[in-house]
Amino acid sequence: MAIKEELKQEVKEEGGGKDELEALDALEREAAEYNKDAEIDRILKAFKLDAYAVLDLQPGVPESEIKLCYRKKSLLIHPDKTSNPRAPDAFDRLKKAQNELMDEKQRTTLDECIADARMLLMRERKLTVDSEEVKNPDKEFREAWRRKTVEVLVDSEQRRRKQIKAQMQEEGREQRRVDEEVESRKRRRDHEVQWEQTREGRIGSWRDFQQKTKEEPGKKKKKMKVLG
């Protein structure tokens, strides 16, 4: 803002008119829009499983820095502040990354994956925690660490999805077992109800049979005549 005011003052001192001031404002708006587009592009290209990468932060930063970073970037790329059609997607991804880092459990899981990636990289390069390359990592080491982090996070996500799938399958089997038990109990109840409903009819038939037997006491069964 101070630079803008200085430039405006110079224009005025040199006798510049309204057109030059408007041109200066247009250049500033163009630069601001370029910064917004560049940040939106960076966010969408960042590995979305790494919330630190989305917010462009280093692991281990305090919560206050996470909040401050999110506030600045969200104001910069807010869909109401730019005409970029990709702004809503970038804003949603930024918000999700901030929520993940503010969640203690999710942040701990992410930090563990990043630490695992560092350990794997050290093992591959036969380094120790006392190695200069580890204590004072250069750009190449950090980039290799970031790539290894991507591998670890992808592997972790795949295992998480498999666990969810297995859990859902197990829940499905359990639900089918419960449904079958419910259906079996229903069939037994229906059978008992039907048996009870026909009880009077069965008793009546038995009574009729007994009455008929009493009314014909002398009646004998015909003997079968044996041929030959």
Side-chain angles (χ1 to χ4, degrees), residues 52-53 55-62 65 107 114 142 145-146:
Y52 290 114
L55 284 164
D56 198 22
L57 290 171
Q58 290 298 321
V61 297
E65 189 170 342
R107 186 177 182 182
I114 293 173
R142 290 186 180 278
W145 185 4
R146 180 62 60 86

Side-chain angles (χ1 to χ4, degrees), residues 53-111:
V54 174
L55 284 164
D56 198 22
L57 290 171
Q58 290 298 321
V61 297
E63 286 189 1
S64 58
E65 189 170 342
I66 296 172
K67 292 178 180 178
L68 180 61
C69 176
Y70 170 74
R71 191 176 299 115
K72 288 181 178 179
K73 293 183 181 298
S74 62
L75 288 173
L76 177 65
I77 68 163
H78 196 283
D80 293 340
K81 304 283 187 180
T82 176
S83 59
N84 191 313
R86 300 192 300 165
D89 290 339
F91 184 81
D92 290 344
R93 191 170 296 186
L94 193 72
K95 178 64 176 175
K96 182 180 179 182
Q98 190 251 6
N99 288 338
E100 288 177 0
L101 291 184
M102 296 305 293
D103 182 278
E104 183 178 355
K105 184 177 180 180
Q106 292 188 68
R107 186 177 182 182
T108 298
T109 300
L110 177 58
D111 287 343

Side-chain angles (χ1 to χ4, degrees), residues 203-218:
I203 292 175
S205 298
W206 175 249
R207 287 173 179 168
D208 293 342
F209 173 75
Q210 287 184 321
Q211 185 66 29
K212 187 176 181 181
T213 302
K214 290 178 182 179
E215 290 175 354
E216 303 177 355

Side-chain angles (χ1 to χ4, degrees), residues 57 135 158 160 170 182 205:
L57 290 171
K135 292 197 299 185
Q158 288 176 339
R160 186 186 71 83
E170 181 60 30
V182 170
S205 298

Side-chain angles (χ1 to χ4, degrees), residues 134-219:
V134 176
K135 292 197 299 185
N136 298 296
D138 56 14
K139 182 179 179 181
E140 187 278 331
F141 185 88
R142 290 186 180 278
E143 289 178 351
W145 185 4
R146 180 62 60 86
R147 290 193 297 272
K148 184 62 67 174
T149 297
V150 170
E151 294 177 12
V152 173
L153 287 172
V154 168
D155 181 67
S156 176
E157 178 65 13
Q158 288 176 339
R159 283 188 281 107
R160 186 186 71 83
R161 293 185 180 184
K162 287 181 180 178
Q163 289 174 352
I164 292 176
K165 184 178 180 180
Q167 182 179 354
M168 291 177 65
Q169 290 175 340
E170 181 60 30
E171 289 175 351
R173 285 192 291 268
E174 179 64 18
Q175 186 61 49
R176 286 194 296 272
R177 186 186 66 78
V178 171
D179 291 343
E180 288 172 358
E181 288 183 356
V182 170
E183 183 63 26
S184 178
R185 288 196 297 270
K186 182 178 181 298
R187 286 195 299 268
R188 286 198 298 269
R189 285 197 303 270
D190 291 344
H191 177 72
E192 291 170 359
V193 169
Q194 186 177 12
W195 179 263
E196 188 63 27
Q197 288 175 345
T198 59
R199 180 171 178 271
E200 290 299 325
R202 294 195 308 276
I203 292 175
S205 298
W206 175 249
R207 287 173 179 168
D208 293 342
F209 173 75
Q210 287 184 321
Q211 185 66 29
K212 187 176 181 181
T213 302
K214 290 178 182 179
E215 290 175 354
E216 303 177 355
K219 189 173 181 180

